[in-house]
Every structure is written in structure tokens, then in C-alpha cells.
Amino acid sequence: MKKNRFVTGFAVLAFSTLLLGACGSDNNDSSSSTSSSTSTAQSSTTETSTTESSKEIVAGGELQDGTYKLEEKNYSNGYRSVFEMVVKDGKITESNFDYIDADGKSKQDDTEYNEKMEEKSGTNPEMFIPELNEQLLSAQSASGVEVVTGATHSSESFQNYAQQLIQAAQAGNTETIEIDNGAELKDGTYKLEEKNYSNGYRVQFELTVADGKVTDSNFDYIDADGKSKQDDTEYNEKMKEKSGTDPQTYIPELNDELVSAMGEEDGSPADVEVITGATHSAHSFIMYAQQLVNAAEKGDTQTIEVDNIVTK
């Protein structure tokens, strides 16, 4: 196994470089959700999105042709996620995400479940699963996939798993990714870091697990000198004026929310609330947190290095 797992994070904005490994399923979906937009590198202090495919890539690895697979190991309420992504000529040409039961039947074909969920949430697997797959083909990035109203947890799970497949595609690693979803977290310190700077900053994230619980979350944006974006007074003032929040406010809030959310029964990073004014940074935080939780489920303490794609 390589010392570092090279992964690709797509897109970055003024505050973050990417959105989604976690263990969510649509059994936790609700009718309330916040939509995320395609993330792109920007010079302003607002988190406005632009289609990434229209931007020039200035850093980050290319996708290698091949078929990349991911599957959950464990069933949740009778279903588990399976995901296959095909890359041809450096582009994602097929996305096949689904929930299947022990007989290999799709949740999209569970008429009773679909009817009940649509009545409660306004959507169902028969609708949102094809939509998510189509969004990935269109956006060509996990961060460009918008959260489907009424299927928040499934959308964020999809983003996370799509991101992990993109990471594998960047490395050209066609080995099936196995997610030990729902497993107890193994004690240890789990780390993730972005390789490339966007607007002078990159993400560093460290998660500590003790006695099977997340006890500490340290997510931050740092510059080449190791200084935190939280300490960039000018940036914080400008963002606060435009967006109503700033890194020195939302970064500690996200870290605190993750520890709190993971302390609940069946807690997940997907339970972290998206912060108004820092939507893309929040989604980036959630997706990276999901990957670290997946690592903790396996007890894999290798640093995850994200070869994040930066555009201009």
C-alpha cells in the first residue's frame, strides 16, 4: 500500500477547494436540504459558483481511463450502496450509483418505499438516483453535484463516494473501494491534506478518535507559511462584510458541530449544518470529514493527500 493515498479534490472557491468518505444513506433523508453548486477557484470573498469545465485547470492530476468501483460492505435498512464510474479520454462517461438489497435488487424498484418517501419528502430513489448520476456526468466533479431537496443525506453520500472514485481515477487505481459503513470507529488520529494551493490556501484536516468517539476536529485553511486563514484579518473583514460570516467564525463552528454530530447515535458528518455565507466551505468540510470517518471505520491512519484540482 502506498504511504499516502493520492486523491483528487475537485474545485475550489475563495475558501475551499472542494466539497465530499462517509456512511450516509437515504434512510436518513428529510425534506429539508441546502443545495450546493459547482465549486470553482475565485478571487473574491464570496462563494459564487461557476461551471468548472469552463475554467482552465492550473493544478491537479488528470483522470486516467478505466472503470472504477466502490461498494458498501454493510446493509442499512436492507440496502447498501454500489457505485461504478467509467472514465474515457479523461472524462467521466458513465456514473452508476445505486442502493441494492441482498438479492441485488435496486431500491429504485421498491414501489412501496418509493411511494412512502415521495409522499414524505417530495422525492424518492426512482427520481433522485438517476438525477445524481446525470449531475455527475454533467459537472465532471463531485463538488458540482447539487444536493437534491428531500434527499440530503443520499446526495452527500453520493458526493462523497463520487469523490473517492474520482480520487481513484486520478491515481489510476481500479481496485474496488470497500466502505465498512457503520463499523465502530477505531481509536487514532486521522489526517487529510490538500496538495495544491488555491488563492494562497489549502486544506489541512485532522480528526481524533478516542474510545470509539470523535473527540477532536481540526479543519483549517493554511498558507505556504503554515498560517491559518482565520488569522488573515483583511480577508476576514472583507468576507464578513459581504457574506455575514468569515473563516475565524465558521471554521471553529464546523469543527464543533462535527464533534457534536458524531457524538449522537448513528451520527454522521452529513448532520453538520451548512453555514449561510460559507456554503461551499461547509460542503467541502463535510465531504472531507466523511472521508476521515471512512478511514476511522477501517482504522487506516495513513494521511490522505488530496491532489485537488485548482482552476482559474
Side-chain angles (χ1 to χ4, degrees):
M1 183 176 291
K2 295 181 181 179
K3 185 176 180 181
N4 285 330
R5 285 178 293 171
F6 285 84
V7 295
T8 180
F10 268 81
V12 264
L13 12 128
F15 319 105
S16 75
T17 54
L18 175 52
L19 276 174
L20 292 152
C23 44
S25 79
D26 67 299
N27 299 307
N28 294 320
D29 288 331
S30 65
S31 58
S32 62
S33 67
T34 303
S35 295
S36 65
S37 302
T38 306
S39 307
T40 55
Q42 298 178 17
S43 59
S44 69
T45 53
T46 59
E47 296 201 339
T48 308
S49 64
T50 307
T51 302
E52 182 181 296
S53 59
S54 67
K55 296 290 186 176
E56 177 187 353
I57 295 175
V58 295
E62 297 179 354
L63 303 187
Q64 306 301 311
D65 289 0
T67 299
Y68 301 91
K69 298 179 180 180
L70 176 151
E71 61 181 41
E72 290 180 338
K73 181 178 178 180
N74 308 307
Y75 292 91
S76 174
N77 295 315
Y79 289 91
R80 64 186 179 93
S81 296
V82 293
F83 201 160
E84 181 176 295
M85 185 184 79
V86 177
V87 175
K88 185 176 181 180
D89 297 328
K91 300 291 185 182
I92 300 169
T93 58
E94 292 183 36
S95 174
N96 297 296
F97 170 85
D98 204 355
Y99 295 101
I100 61 169
D101 64 14
D103 296 321
K105 295 180 180 178
S106 171
K107 184 177 281 189
Q108 299 177 69
D109 299 326
D110 186 332
T111 303
E112 182 179 2
Y113 185 94
N114 277 270
E115 289 177 350
K116 287 182 177 180
M117 182 174 176
E118 184 177 6
E119 182 180 351
K120 183 178 180 179
S121 303
T123 189
N124 59 33
E126 189 176 16
M127 292 187 285
F128 73 72
I129 289 175
E131 180 179 348
L132 290 170
N133 283 316
E134 290 168 7
Q135 282 198 60
L136 180 60
L137 294 181
S138 177
Q140 292 292 303
S141 71
S143 59
V145 175
E146 295 187 0
V147 171
V148 177
T149 301
T152 306
H153 282 232
S154 286
S155 297
E156 290 176 338
S157 179
F158 177 91
Q159 291 169 332
N160 162 43
Y161 292 159
Q163 180 57 36
Q164 293 197 46
L165 288 172
I166 288 169
Q167 295 165 184
Q170 188 179 30
N173 184 0
T174 57
E175 182 180 352
T176 298
I177 300 169
E178 186 177 84
I179 304 295
D180 195 6
N181 54 305
E184 291 187 6
L185 304 186
K186 312 301 187 294
D187 290 359
T189 300
Y190 301 89
K191 299 179 181 180
L192 177 151
E193 60 181 38
E194 291 179 338
K195 180 179 178 181
N196 306 309
Y197 292 91
S198 171
N199 297 311
Y201 290 91
R202 64 186 178 95
V203 169
Q204 281 191 342
F205 201 162
E206 183 175 297
L207 197 70
T208 303
V209 176
D211 298 325
K213 300 288 185 182
V214 174
T215 57
D216 200 16
S217 172
N218 291 294
F219 169 90
D220 205 356
Y221 296 100
I222 62 165
D223 65 15
D225 296 321
K227 295 179 180 178
S228 171
K229 185 178 281 189
Q230 299 177 68
D231 299 325
D232 187 332
T233 302
E234 182 180 3
Y235 185 94
N236 278 267
E237 289 177 351
K238 288 182 178 180
M239 182 177 173
K240 183 79 169 182
E241 182 180 349
K242 289 188 176 183
S243 303
T245 190
D246 53 28
Q248 66 181 1
T249 302
Y250 73 73
I251 289 176
E253 184 176 342
L254 288 170
N255 283 317
D256 290 344
E257 280 200 29
L258 179 62
V259 174
S260 178
M262 293 301 298
E264 299 294 328
E265 185 176 358
D266 297 324
S268 164
D271 296 323
V272 172
E273 293 290 331
V274 173
I275 297 173
T276 301
T279 304
H280 288 273
S281 289
H283 280 300
S284 177
F285 173 88
I286 291 168
M287 189 156 61
Y288 283 155
Q290 289 173 327
Q291 291 198 45
L292 289 171
V293 167
N294 281 162
E297 288 170 335
K298 291 183 176 181
D300 186 353
T301 57
Q302 294 179 95
T303 297
I304 301 170
E305 185 174 88
V306 181
D307 191 5
N308 53 302
I309 289 181
V310 180
T311 61
K312 70 175 183 178

